[in-house]
């Protein structure tokens, strides 16, 4: 059931852009925002007494001593400190939301896999009960790796709140509209947009338009950042100004409430008597953010050949090994193909990185059939893949005029760690048993004749 009226009880700061909800532009900026005038202390973080009787509290997103260019924290001025937003904890079970390592002895992860869109059921599902883990990689306890999920959401969280201590969540909607009412403000999200919900940030998810389906990449490791552009320079790809962080919003609501916490792969509940979304003002650089993928400016080949798909990286989460990401989020969207004398689709390859793809809308050029919007595919570490026969023959024999790839938006969650299928992905989700057959009729052309093509 939708509860759009709930967010109306959240009192927002004035929006610099005049939109509802209000957002502030920039990626990783040091923001300041207040829903009540004078709620932010001037020139200091921790005054002896905060205005309005608020409590000052710091949320540290990186270690205190992280290098300055990576150091992230936010100061919150709230009705109650967070210690009042938790009581005793009780373990609960959310059996479909898995964490790494989740290696099932009777599931084979070695293989090329593809799934049809996971269908909605008649069951009422929230952000928590509707999360379906497809793959896990690395180890949640050592804060390396990731998990990929599909969410199927039909119901708003009712006086219920959540945070993940394990991870930041990259949310990629494919269908429906969701509202994330967070401690630091409100984000509305729809297909063609993405959002990053930071580790430790409390929120409630409401359905604005359902049913809602999409993809989530749960990042156990170092935070997402924008990739270095190198010789490309200061512009194009994802530009900082196109990212949007919400203005402060709070609710002063007394009602029996449940807070669920994901911590080291397990879920815990705690009961409180009020809404924890009570941050009246905040300043800092650790905050949720949304981005419209239609603002992504792709760079590509303009004479012959084409670069590696890393040229389409929107966000990268480093692993500690330079250039070897814990996760890259890569976008394949509309673009012109102009290369001469070139096989234009992605080439055949094997990759040390593991590639999980999802289709947001349209048709992907290497797989014109079978990879539907809402569907996913997995090409795991060092497993060969590439165009199917029709895509190969079509591209090999095409008249190479400039051509626009239109109506297409797919993405990849690419990680340095092998991805393991969950029991849900292997046994319940609509796995295409015949995916491997898409390469079956690729024929041998070689017969030793020079000049044969
Ligand atoms: Fe690939």
């Amino acid at each position: 059931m939708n509860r759009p009226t709930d967010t109306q009880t959240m009192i927002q700061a004035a929006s610099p852009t005049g939109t509802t909800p209000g957002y502030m532009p920039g990626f990783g900026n040091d923001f300041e925002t207040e829903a009540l005038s004078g709620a932010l202390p001037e020139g200091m973080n921790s005054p002896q007494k905060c205005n309005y009787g608020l409590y000052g509290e710091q949320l540290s997103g990186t270690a205190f001593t992280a290098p300055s260019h990576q150091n992230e924290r936010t100061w919150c001025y709230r009705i109650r400190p967070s210690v009042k937003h938790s009581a005793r904890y009780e373990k609960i079970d959310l059996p479909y939301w898995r964490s790494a390592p989740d290696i099932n002895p009777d599931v084979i992860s070695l293989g090329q896999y593809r799934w049809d869109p996971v269908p909605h059921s008649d069951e009422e599902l929230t952000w928590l009960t509707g999360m379906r883990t497809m793959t896990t990689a690395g180890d949640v306890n050592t804060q390396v790796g990731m998990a990929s999920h599909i969410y199927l959401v039909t119901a708003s969280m009712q006086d219920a709140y959540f945070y993940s201590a394990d991870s930041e969540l990259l949310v990629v909607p494919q269908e429906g509209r969701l509202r994330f009412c967070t401690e630091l403000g409100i984000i509305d999200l729809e297909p063609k947009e993405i959002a990053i919900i930071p580790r430790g940030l409390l929120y409630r998810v409401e359905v604005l338009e359902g049913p809602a389906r999409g993809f989530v990449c749960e990042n156990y490791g170092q935070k997402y950042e924008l990739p270095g552009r190198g010789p490309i320079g200061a512009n194009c790809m994802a530009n900082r100004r196109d990212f949007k962080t919400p203005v402060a919003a709070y609710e002063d609501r007394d009602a029996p409430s449940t807070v669920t916490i994901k911590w080291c792969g397990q879920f815990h509940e705690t009961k409180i008597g009020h809404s924890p979304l009570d941050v009246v003002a905040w300043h800092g650089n650790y905050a949720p953010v949304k981005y419209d993928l239609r603002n992504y400016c792709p760079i590509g080949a303009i004479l012959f050949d084409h670069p590696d798909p890393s040229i389409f990286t929107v966000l990268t989460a480093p692993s500690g090994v330079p250039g070897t990401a814990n996760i890259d989020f890569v976008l394949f969207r509309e673009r012109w193909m102009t290369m001469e004398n070139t096989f234009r689709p992605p080439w055949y390859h094997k990759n040390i990185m593991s590639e999980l793809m999802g289709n947001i809308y349209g048709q992907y050029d290497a797989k014109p059939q079978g990879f539907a919007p809402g569907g996913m595919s997995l090409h795991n570490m060092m497993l060969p893949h590439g165009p199917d026969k029709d895509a190969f023959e079509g591209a090999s024999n095409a008249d190479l005029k400039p051509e626009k790839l239109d109506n297409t938006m797919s993405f990849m969650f690419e990680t340095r760690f092998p991805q393991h299928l969950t029991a849900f992905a292997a046994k319940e989700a609509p796995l295409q048993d015949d995916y491997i057959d898409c390469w079956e009729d690729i024929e041998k052309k070689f017969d030793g004749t020079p000049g044969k093509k």
Side-chain angles (χ1 to χ4, degrees):
M1 187 194 299
N2 296 356
R3 286 201 342 175
T5 51
D6 264 2
T7 54
Q8 289 169 15
T9 66
M10 290 192 85
I11 298 165
Q12 277 197 86
S15 162
T17 52
T19 58
T20 304
Y23 302 102
M24 304 174 284
F27 186 88
N29 285 9
D30 203 61
F31 297 103
E32 63 172 36
T33 172
E34 57 185 14
L36 293 177
S37 179
L40 274 176
E42 286 291 333
M44 64 187 301
N45 297 322
S46 189
Q48 187 176 18
K49 288 191 175 192
C50 296
N51 202 357
Y52 294 102
L54 298 171
Y55 290 85
E57 178 175 314
Q58 184 177 228
L59 175 60
S60 294
T62 54
F64 298 147
T65 46
S68 298
H69 68 282
Q70 292 173 333
N71 206 306
E72 295 195 10
R73 61 90 179 90
T74 284
W75 275 94
C76 302
Y77 301 92
R78 58 195 317 159
I79 297 171
R80 296 177 178 89
S82 288
V83 287
K84 290 292 290 178
H85 301 327
S86 69
R88 297 192 188 284
Y89 300 103
E90 192 178 312
K91 263 190 195 172
I92 61 162
D93 201 17
L94 289 172
Y96 285 105
W97 191 334
R98 312 299 302 172
S99 292
D102 183 46
I103 300 171
N104 300 279
D106 56 341
V107 168
I108 298 176
S109 295
L110 181 76
Q112 297 91 340
Y113 291 109
R114 192 165 66 187
W115 293 266
D116 289 328
V118 179
H120 294 283
S121 68
D122 296 335
E123 203 182 342
E124 192 172 85
L125 296 170
T126 67
W127 182 249
L128 299 182
T129 57
M131 199 67 74
R132 301 282 178 270
T133 308
M134 298 294 288
T135 65
T136 68
D139 187 338
V140 72
N141 280 291
T142 52
Q143 300 186 344
V144 293
M146 50 82 79
S148 69
H149 313 277
I150 289 272
Y151 65 80
L152 303 164
V153 180
T154 57
S156 298
M157 294 165 71
Q158 310 272 357
D159 291 315
Y161 307 87
F162 172 69
Y163 73 86
S164 171
D166 286 344
S167 48
E168 65 176 349
L169 299 189
L170 171 65
V171 185
V172 185
Q174 189 264 322
E175 189 179 81
R177 294 175 59 234
L178 295 175
R179 172 165 288 180
F180 293 79
C181 300
T182 80
E183 284 176 290
L184 300 185
I186 302 168
I187 286 182
D188 283 355
L189 202 64
E190 61 186 33
K192 305 177 191 174
E193 296 178 322
I194 58 169
I196 301 173
I197 310 295
R199 185 192 300 258
L201 187 77
L202 234 153
Y203 60 98
R204 170 180 74 220
V205 180
E206 299 178 353
V207 178
L208 295 178
E209 193 181 309
R213 178 172 55 206
F215 312 91
V216 169
C217 188
E218 187 179 356
N219 175 16
Y220 304 144
Q222 199 173 321
K223 294 176 77 274
Y224 283 108
E225 56 189 48
L226 295 180
R229 294 190 186 90
I232 293 168
N235 301 291
C236 297
M237 302 169 71
N239 290 301
R240 287 183 183 273
R241 71 180 284 242
D242 295 323
F243 288 80
K244 296 185 189 310
T245 286
V247 296
Y250 73 96
E251 59 191 10
D252 184 7
R253 175 179 168 83
D254 290 325
S257 304
T258 304
V259 178
T260 303
I261 301 158
K262 181 175 191 284
W263 197 88
C264 292
Q266 298 188 316
F267 293 87
H268 309 73
E269 249 181 30
T270 185
K271 306 281 189 191
I272 57 175
H274 49 266
S275 168
L277 305 181
D278 65 353
V279 177
V280 176
W282 61 268
H283 78 85
N285 59 352
Y286 189 67
V289 65
K290 70 182 267 186
Y291 173 72
D292 189 330
L293 295 169
R294 287 163 289 195
N295 288 327
Y296 185 82
C297 177
I299 299 286
I302 52 172
L303 188 58
F304 64 90
D305 268 353
H306 51 87
D308 288 309
S310 46
I311 198 75
F312 299 136
T313 303
V314 182
L315 293 158
T316 187
S319 74
V321 178
T324 306
N326 185 39
I327 306 160
D328 279 331
F329 174 63
V330 182
L331 184 71
F332 306 99
R333 65 159 305 185
E334 295 84 353
R335 60 198 183 274
W336 280 90
M337 307 289 265
T338 58
M339 306 86 94
E340 299 172 353
N341 188 30
T342 294
F343 182 75
R344 290 177 173 176
W347 46 63
Y348 296 103
H349 72 138
K350 290 199 294 187
N351 190 355
I352 189 170
M353 306 285 278
S354 295
E355 307 174 5
L356 185 129
M357 286 192 63
N359 188 346
I360 299 170
Y361 65 79
Q363 198 178 68
Y364 178 62
D365 60 330
K367 299 280 164 49
Q369 305 296 325
F371 183 38
M376 300 177 94
S377 69
L378 175 65
H379 302 116
N380 230 330
M381 177 181 68
M382 285 302 182
L383 286 174
H385 54 284
D388 59 25
K389 187 189 176 188
D390 288 349
F392 178 83
E393 294 297 338
S396 301
N397 297 300
D399 182 14
L400 292 181
K401 296 176 184 152
E403 178 199 6
K404 188 171 185 192
L405 287 183
D406 224 341
N407 187 34
T408 184
M409 187 175 276
S410 296
F411 69 86
M412 181 162 64
F413 300 149
E414 186 179 37
T415 172
R416 64 174 293 196
F417 301 104
Q419 297 189 38
H420 295 270
L421 268 61
T422 59
F424 174 80
K427 296 172 183 172
E428 289 187 55
L431 186 63
Q432 297 176 2
D433 289 333
D434 60 350
Y435 176 48
I436 189 79
D437 299 339
C438 77
W439 297 293
E440 191 178 57
D441 53 359
I442 294 175
E443 59 205 9
K444 173 183 161 187
K445 298 174 187 291
F446 175 82
D447 63 4
T449 309
K452 178 166 183 178
K453 289 194 175 174

